[in-house]
Amino acid sequence: QREKAPEGPPMEPVSSPIKEAPRVNAEGVEAWRGKSHGPGGDTGLPASQLFYCGRWMDECGCGECRGQCGPASGCPCSDCLMLIGPKAAEILAGRRARATRKRSTRVWEVGAALCSG
C-alpha cells in the first residue's frame, strides 16, 4: 500500500534554473532575450519580448540607444527584430518611414540654408 502524502498548504511552483537558450539572428549571431526592466526602444514592446545581439549597428530609432543592439533593452537591430515574428515587419516599416522623413527634413534645411546664404 502507498503512503498518503502529508497534508499542508499547496506547493508553490519552483522557477526553473535552466536559462533560455539564445536564438540565432539572420546574420548568424547569437541573440538573447532582453531584460524585463527596460523598454524596447522604438518598438513599443517591452524588452522582455525582444532579442538582442549586442552589436553596434547604428539602427537606433528612439534616439537613446547610441546604436547598440541591446544588450538588455532598447532598440534591437533589424536582424534581431526579425526573431519576434510578423510584428517585426510593421516595426521595420515604421523605422524606414521615420528615417525617410528625417532625411527629407534635413535635405530641406540644407537647401534653405544654401538659398538664404
Side-chain angles (χ1 to χ4, degrees):
Q1 242 186 16
R2 296 172 89 183
E3 286 186 30
K4 188 175 178 182
E7 290 188 23
M11 293 182 68
E12 293 293 320
V14 177
S15 63
S16 171
I18 300 172
K19 301 286 184 202
E20 183 177 0
R23 297 205 182 166
V24 177
N25 70 20
E27 286 294 312
V29 178
E30 285 185 349
W32 299 86
R33 189 170 294 278
K35 304 295 181 206
S36 59
H37 65 274
D42 67 339
T43 67
L45 299 171
S48 61
Q49 293 180 16
L50 300 167
F51 294 88
Y52 299 98
C53 64
R55 294 179 296 164
W56 291 92
M57 300 296 291
D58 197 25
E59 293 184 34
C60 174
C62 72
E64 298 182 17
C65 301
R66 300 179 331 271
Q68 185 176 18
C69 177
S73 64
C75 298
C77 68
S78 4
D79 296 323
C80 287
L81 188 57
M82 296 308 291
L83 294 172
I84 69 168
K87 180 139 178 80
E90 178 184 325
I91 294 167
L92 288 171
R95 277 187 185 175
R96 282 191 292 273
R98 284 190 301 278
T100 299
R101 282 193 303 272
K102 189 175 181 180
R103 277 194 301 273
S104 296
T105 301
R106 184 69 185 134
V107 167
W108 183 86
E109 289 170 350
V110 169
L114 289 173
C115 290
S116 67

